[in-house]
Amino acid sequence: QELSRGIVNAKDVQKIAEFPFPFPYTQLIVVMLVVQSIVTPVLGAIQGSNPVLVFVVTFASVFVLWCMNYVAAELEQPFGEDFNDLPIPKMMA
Protein backbone atom coordinates (compact mmCIF):
# COMPACT_ATOMS: atom_id res chain seq x y z
CA GLN A 1 0.00 0.00 0.00
CA GLU A 2 2.71 2.49 0.96
CA LEU A 3 4.86 1.47 -2.00
CA SER A 4 2.04 2.05 -4.47
CA ARG A 5 1.38 5.53 -3.04
CA GLY A 6 5.07 6.30 -3.33
CA ILE A 7 5.11 5.27 -6.98
CA VAL A 8 2.04 7.39 -7.73
CA ASN A 9 3.64 10.39 -6.00
CA ALA A 10 6.89 9.83 -7.92
CA LYS A 11 4.95 9.81 -11.19
CA ASP A 12 3.16 13.03 -10.20
CA VAL A 13 6.50 14.68 -9.47
CA GLN A 14 7.85 13.44 -12.79
CA LYS A 15 4.91 15.09 -14.60
CA ILE A 16 5.73 18.43 -12.96
CA ALA A 17 9.37 18.19 -13.97
CA GLU A 18 8.76 17.07 -17.56
CA PHE A 19 5.96 19.37 -18.70
CA PRO A 20 6.89 23.05 -18.42
CA PHE A 21 4.41 25.90 -18.42
CA PRO A 22 3.59 26.99 -22.00
CA PHE A 23 6.08 29.61 -23.19
CA PRO A 24 3.56 31.80 -25.12
CA TYR A 25 1.38 32.06 -22.02
CA THR A 26 4.40 33.09 -19.94
CA GLN A 27 5.37 35.73 -22.50
CA LEU A 28 1.80 37.04 -22.60
CA ILE A 29 1.80 37.43 -18.83
CA VAL A 30 5.08 39.38 -18.91
CA VAL A 31 3.84 41.67 -21.70
CA MET A 32 0.61 42.34 -19.83
CA LEU A 33 2.56 43.10 -16.65
CA VAL A 34 4.73 45.60 -18.54
CA VAL A 35 1.63 47.24 -20.03
CA GLN A 36 0.01 47.37 -16.60
CA SER A 37 3.19 48.85 -15.13
CA ILE A 38 3.07 51.68 -17.69
CA VAL A 39 -0.68 52.32 -17.90
CA THR A 40 -1.53 52.25 -14.18
CA PRO A 41 0.68 55.21 -13.18
CA VAL A 42 -0.51 57.25 -16.17
CA LEU A 43 -4.17 56.63 -15.42
CA GLY A 44 -3.57 57.25 -11.73
CA ALA A 45 -1.94 60.59 -12.49
CA ILE A 46 -4.85 61.58 -14.74
CA GLN A 47 -7.69 60.43 -12.47
CA GLY A 48 -6.27 60.85 -8.97
CA SER A 49 -6.55 63.94 -6.86
CA ASN A 50 -4.23 62.88 -4.04
CA PRO A 51 -0.72 62.21 -5.44
CA VAL A 52 0.47 60.30 -2.38
CA LEU A 53 -2.50 57.93 -2.45
CA VAL A 54 -2.12 57.44 -6.21
CA PHE A 55 1.56 56.59 -5.75
CA VAL A 56 0.91 54.11 -2.93
CA VAL A 57 -1.92 52.33 -4.73
CA THR A 58 -0.07 52.24 -8.05
CA PHE A 59 3.18 51.03 -6.51
CA ALA A 60 1.44 48.40 -4.39
CA SER A 61 -0.62 46.96 -7.25
CA VAL A 62 2.30 46.80 -9.69
CA PHE A 63 4.70 45.46 -7.07
CA VAL A 64 2.32 42.73 -5.88
CA LEU A 65 1.60 41.50 -9.40
CA TRP A 66 5.30 41.34 -10.32
CA CYS A 67 6.04 39.52 -7.05
CA MET A 68 3.33 36.98 -7.81
CA ASN A 69 4.86 36.45 -11.25
CA TYR A 70 8.32 35.79 -9.76
CA VAL A 71 6.89 33.42 -7.14
CA ALA A 72 5.06 31.53 -9.89
CA ALA A 73 8.31 31.27 -11.86
CA GLU A 74 10.04 29.76 -8.81
CA LEU A 75 7.21 27.31 -8.22
CA GLU A 76 7.24 26.27 -11.87
CA GLN A 77 10.69 24.67 -11.48
CA PRO A 78 10.79 23.12 -7.98
CA PHE A 79 13.72 20.81 -8.73
CA GLY A 80 17.36 21.69 -9.21
CA GLU A 81 20.20 23.32 -7.36
CA ASP A 82 18.83 26.83 -6.83
CA PHE A 83 18.43 28.31 -3.37
CA ASN A 84 14.62 27.92 -3.34
CA ASP A 85 14.44 24.44 -4.86
CA LEU A 86 13.22 21.40 -3.00
CA PRO A 87 15.92 19.48 -1.09
CA ILE A 88 15.29 16.13 -2.79
CA PRO A 89 18.26 14.26 -1.22
CA LYS A 90 17.16 15.31 2.29
CA MET A 91 13.54 14.39 1.53
CA MET A 92 14.55 10.93 0.32
CA ALA A 93 16.50 10.13 3.50
Side-chain angles (χ1 to χ4, degrees):
Q1 185 69 13
E2 292 295 320
L3 185 60
S4 68
R5 269 201 258 145
I7 292 172
V8 169
N9 289 338
K11 287 293 182 185
D12 289 342
V13 167
Q14 187 178 14
K15 283 191 275 187
I16 291 172
E18 288 181 357
F19 299 108
F21 204 69
F23 183 72
Y25 189 74
T26 304
Q27 289 303 108
L28 178 66
I29 289 173
V30 170
V31 168
M32 293 305 291
L33 280 171
V34 169
V35 168
Q36 195 256 350
S37 298
I38 294 169
V39 170
T40 302
V42 171
L43 290 179
I46 292 170
Q47 296 286 11
S49 58
N50 185 354
V52 175
L53 182 63
V54 168
F55 171 76
V56 169
V57 170
T58 300
F59 178 78
S61 65
V62 170
F63 183 73
V64 165
L65 289 174
W66 276 103
C67 287
M68 287 174 51
N69 184 47
Y70 286 122
V71 168
E74 282 293 323
L75 291 176
E76 182 182 355
Q77 297 294 331
F79 309 110
E81 300 297 323
D82 293 342
F83 181 71
N84 290 327
D85 289 337
L86 294 173
I88 299 299
K90 289 181 183 177
M91 292 172 72
M92 297 299 284

